[in-house]
Amino acid sequence: MAIQPMADAVAGRTASSAEYNKVTANVRDLDGRLSPVETRTTDAATGNVALGSRVSTMEPKVNTLVANQGTRGSLGTVYAEIQAQRDTTASPTSGNAALASRISDVGRQAVYVQPGGGTSQSIPNNGVAHILEFPTARVTDTSIVTPTGTNNTGFVVKKAGTYSIEMAYRLTNNSAGVETGLLINDVLKTGMSGGVIMGVSMYNAKLAVNDVIKARLYHSSAGSRQADSGAGDWSHIAITYLGPGGS
């Protein structure tokens, strides 16, 4: 029921019973309206006490969320930061595409052999370590190295990064004091001694563009020796690109 309009009281004049009845009717009407509100606000499940309990439960969670996400400040909104991460991922210089370009060459390899036979390199027993020749290409990849020198005595690095270098060399017959070695820019880096017919060397290195890889062999046999590569390409050098990093 709607509130009933009432006439204003006039000083010195007795209020009419009709106006009085309107007052009591309006009071009852207000009481009827407020009773359900009171019931709801005092209800243990849905009232003020329950609401206060829920707020108390949520408050530490909100505080934790603010602590974890920060107050943003000059950093911008979370969505702006997410967009910045997406932009970085898609960046051609620092994103996935850039990463793919850095690792796309990993595992590339070049393999050259000394096939042996009557025309193979002769290595004298003159007390000198001789630079080895690998005239036959088995696997070429000029994106990482290119051969240089007569019969491929050196291999020029074309892509800077970390490389694995492995060589083996077999001689025609038993030899004395066989020593092999790997050189970078004519500086001996590693080698092996003590073989009687075959020598091997392995080396990992971070190389720059135009660095030159070479292999050498020394022996102290009674006479000159030649390569005897056999059916398995025993006399070979394998250069593998491992990636842009390393030391």
Side-chain angles (χ1 to χ4, degrees):
M1 171 171 115
I3 297 294
Q4 299 184 43
M6 298 181 297
D8 293 335
V10 179
R13 183 183 298 174
T14 304
S16 68
S17 59
E19 294 301 316
Y20 176 81
N21 290 339
K22 290 179 182 179
V23 172
T24 56
N26 285 339
V27 170
R28 293 189 187 99
D29 180 68
L30 289 173
D31 183 65
R33 292 169 185 260
L34 291 174
S35 291
V37 174
E38 182 181 18
T39 299
R40 284 194 290 270
T41 56
T42 57
D43 185 272
T46 60
N48 290 347
V49 174
L51 178 61
S53 176
R54 293 181 183 180
V55 171
S56 298
T57 301
M58 288 300 299
E59 186 175 17
K61 296 181 179 180
V62 171
N63 291 337
T64 300
L65 181 63
V66 171
N68 289 340
Q69 290 191 348
T71 56
R72 314 295 357 127
S74 61
L75 298 178
T77 66
V78 174
Y79 296 105
E81 292 188 26
I82 293 174
Q83 184 60 50
Q85 292 297 324
R86 293 177 62 186
D87 292 343
T88 299
T89 301
S91 169
T93 58
S94 60
N96 290 348
L99 176 62
S101 68
R102 295 188 69 189
I103 65 175
S104 60
D105 291 332
V106 171
R108 288 183 178 273
Q109 186 179 66
V111 180
Y112 291 79
V113 305
Q114 170 57 263
T119 60
S120 65
Q121 179 183 8
S122 177
I123 303 172
N125 60 337
N126 57 0
V128 176
H130 292 267
I131 299 300
L132 297 176
E133 301 172 358
F134 300 94
T136 302
R138 287 288 185 260
V139 180
T140 60
D141 194 328
T142 56
S143 69
I144 59 170
V145 293
T146 56
T148 186
T150 302
N151 291 326
N152 303 338
T153 54
F155 300 89
V156 181
V157 174
K158 294 301 179 181
K159 184 177 181 66
T162 301
Y163 285 80
S164 173
I165 309 163
E166 176 266 329
M167 64 82 63
Y169 214 83
R170 177 183 171 91
L171 300 176
T172 48
N173 48 30
N174 285 357
S175 305
V178 176
E179 297 179 3
T180 55
L182 289 169
L183 304 92
I184 306 297
N185 299 327
D186 293 321
V187 177
L188 181 65
K189 295 297 183 178
T190 187
M192 187 206 79
S193 64
V196 295
I197 195 170
M198 189 170 185
V200 297
S201 290
M202 291 173 285
Y203 186 62
N204 287 357
K206 187 173 183 180
L207 304 178
V209 174
N210 293 326
D211 281 349
V212 180
I213 302 166
K214 294 181 181 179
R216 77 177 195 180
L217 186 143
Y218 164 89
H219 71 93
S220 56
S221 308
S224 297
R225 295 289 186 266
Q226 287 183 300
D228 180 20
S229 196
D233 287 340
W234 288 338
S235 298
H236 70 273
I237 186 168
I239 303 168
T240 306
Y241 178 77
L242 300 180
S247 60

